Amino acid sequence: MIKYTVFPDYFSLSKAAAERIIRQIKHNPLTLLGLATGSTPIGLYARLIDQHRRGKLSLSRVTTFNLDEYVGIPKDHPQSYHVFMQKHLFDHVDIPPARRHFPDTDKSGTQYDLQIMRSGGLDVQILGIGANGHIGFNEPGAAFDSKTRVVELAESTIRDNARFFDHSDEVPRQAITMGIATILQARHIILMANGANKAAAVAAAFQERPSVNVPASCLQTHHSVHVLLDTAAAGDLS
Ligand code: PGA
């Protein structure tokens, strides 16, 4: 089942997403969270940090599994998702380092999926959406039964990412990502999108029949998805 909520702006969208996560953690302090990177969840993470600083939220028993990481840049590269998570969440809250997980080319993707399963499965997976409809780094064409694996990035994704790197030859061309099947195993999924550049992807994902050409459309087959949009990202929905 998909529930849609449209917010007037990014701030209120982020606040609502954070409140959903905070409710989940208060209900079950041992929550397993699937985390996303990118510009979209920064406001949500900022709100979690704010609540933690005010003494209203502890994440000390939460376990996290990140969606993806680049292949070909070191973990301490300023654009790595390890560094992104430090900067935007981990350095500011009390999730123990041993409870934070990333897919890693040192291990097989299958091991990552097994680790998630053996830990009890993801309670909530947070997702953004790419302008091309990708979720994690499952690019158009990714099979709906895909598991965690190394993938080639779409040319459009490489172009979108180029702004974060000094030289175009530095921009990673591969990543390791949870698969679509891995994501769909989460009990609940929150997809956030803001900005007009996401409007076409959102409409293609939720108003057309599910197709591997629009990876986020797989979410139509899930039993508990909440799509949080700002008015711009909802602009192409009828
Ligand atoms: P963004 O990326 O949050 O930076 O827009 C989302 C995505 O590509 O999944």
Side-chain angles (χ1 to χ4, degrees), residues 16-173:
E19 275 161 13
R20 170 67 182 83
I21 300 296
I22 292 166
R23 265 203 316 280
Q24 168 67 37
I25 295 169
K26 296 216 158 133
H27 168 73
N28 176 13
L30 290 165
T31 288
L32 256 73
L33 279 183
L35 299 179
T37 52
S39 54
T40 309
I42 290 176
L44 150 61
Y45 296 149
R47 179 86 186 168
L48 296 183
I49 292 167
D50 176 66
Q51 294 298 296
H52 175 69
R53 284 202 176 132
R54 290 168 192 263
K56 293 183 179 167
L57 176 70
S58 171
L59 297 103
S60 63
R61 297 168 75 201
V62 166
T63 299
T64 65
F65 286 89
N66 264 79
L67 266 178
D68 47 16
E69 178 56 287
Y70 289 121
V71 172
I73 58 170
K75 292 186 177 88
D76 60 358
H77 187 285
Q79 294 305 328
S80 80
Y81 288 163
H82 281 73
V83 170
F84 176 98
M85 290 308 307
Q86 296 284 359
K87 182 172 161 203
H88 293 289
L89 185 66
F90 293 155
D91 281 351
H92 315 287
V93 295
D94 55 346
I95 305 168
R99 288 183 176 270
R100 312 168 188 164
H101 304 91
F102 286 82
D104 191 333
T105 48
D106 290 348
K107 292 177 286 186
S108 72
T110 311
Q111 276 175 288
Y112 197 61
D113 290 337
L114 272 175
Q115 199 178 9
I116 295 172
M117 228 159 57
R118 289 195 183 125
S119 309
L122 297 169
D123 292 298
V124 183
Q125 174 67 55
I126 298 163
L127 294 176
I129 181 171
N132 67 357
H134 75 195
I135 48 173
F137 274 129
N138 295 286
E139 301 284 24
F144 282 4
D145 63 357
S146 54
K147 301 288 180 52
T148 300
R149 69 212 183 284
V150 173
V151 295
E152 305 294 320
L153 301 185
E155 284 302 325
S156 62
T157 301
I158 295 168
R159 274 198 308 276
D160 281 353
N161 289 339
R163 65 187 192 276
F164 301 118
F165 293 83
D166 293 337
H167 299 287
S168 59
D169 55 359
E170 252 196 305
V171 188
R173 306 192 70 84

